[in-house]
Amino acid sequence: MSEIERGRGVALWSQISGILASDILKGQLRQGEQLPSAQELAMRFNVNRHTVRRAIAALEQRNLVRTEQGRGTFVQEQTLDYVISRRTRFTQNMRNLNVDADIRVLEEAHELPPPPVARALGLDRNEYVYRVETLDRADGHIIDYSTSYFPAARFPDLPALYRRLLSVTRTLAEFGVADYERKHTRVSARLPDATTARVMQQQTSRPLLYVESINADTRGVPVQYGITRFSGDWVQLVLMADH
């Protein structure tokens, strides 16, 4: 039986979107629950799948659902409040949120940095850096994909140590950097490139929260330049007043 009304001047996709939104907000569709397939919804409302896809897109715009490539569409769970302050620490953030965190190293390299990275770290053009790519999960969900650059001369063989410790704080401490603070943060929203979308298992049409940062030791000398791409489906950035 159809739950939409034809001929009343309201687009069918909009009616379907409203019905599903109501089901979500009333809890009839629970957080994390998978929605019926586009074909099943098309049969339920007696419409074509294009109309259903437009309704789902409207729900995604309202951040009520998320679509995972190859899996389907799910009711959006509550986002994580990721705090950015002068002493931003991934592990501490996850501990404060009481979630199980997992860090995976995807790639590492010893290379000459792009000019913006060299400038951020205060390096000459011929000074090498270590680039470390990581993927972070919380409760099994991908929350960010990060690229970090460290001055290679100051931190010899850093990637091997980081792979063992899986903590920037503990890794830098091994090199005598007892503490460091966020010197600079820039936040923007960007569409992912094909590689980032593949790594984060999301569509290229869904924006990411793109965070560029510089961490410096207690003397103000940069020790890390980072680019972190946060999933907008799972993370809400909270900038603390001390930043």
Side-chain angles (χ1 to χ4, degrees), residues 17-57:
S17 178
I19 291 167
L20 295 176
S22 178
D23 289 346
I24 292 170
L25 296 174
K26 290 177 180 177
Q28 294 173 356
L29 287 171
R30 299 181 302 277
Q31 291 188 19
E33 183 176 348
Q34 185 172 6
L35 269 64
S37 68
Q39 183 174 355
E40 290 171 325
L41 289 173
M43 292 178 62
R44 171 186 169 183
F45 294 108
N46 193 25
V47 296
N48 60 46
R49 281 185 289 182
H50 174 75
T51 299
V52 169
R53 285 193 289 268
R54 189 168 181 185
I56 296 298

Side-chain angles (χ1 to χ4, degrees), residues 213-226:
S213 61
I214 301 172
N215 285 321
D217 63 19
T218 54
R219 296 175 299 159
V221 179
V223 295
Q224 177 191 19
Y225 172 78

Side-chain angles (χ1 to χ4, degrees), residues 82 84 88 90 93-94 136 142-146 200 202 207-211 228-237:
Y82 191 95
I84 294 180
T88 299
F90 173 79
N93 268 338
M94 296 301 101
D136 297 331
I142 296 173
I143 61 169
D144 72 67
Y145 165 41
S146 298
M200 299 190 69
Q202 73 162 61
L208 299 169
L209 298 173
Y210 190 92
V211 179
T228 304
R229 310 153 190 88
F230 286 99
S231 168
D233 289 336
W234 295 108
V235 176
Q236 179 173 272
L237 300 180

Side-chain angles (χ1 to χ4, degrees), residues 72-112:
T73 301
F74 300 81
V75 177
Q76 180 62 55
E77 292 91 336
Q78 185 175 358
T79 57
L80 301 175
D81 285 344
Y82 191 95
V83 174
I84 294 180
S85 65
R86 287 189 300 113
R87 300 189 76 257
T88 299
R89 304 290 188 268
F90 173 79
T91 302
Q92 187 61 51
N93 268 338
M94 296 301 101
R95 188 179 297 121
N96 292 343
L97 292 167
N98 194 31
V99 297
D100 292 327
D102 173 70
I103 302 173
R104 177 186 170 196
V105 178
L106 301 178
E107 184 178 325
E108 57 192 44
H110 182 247
E111 61 190 22
L112 289 173

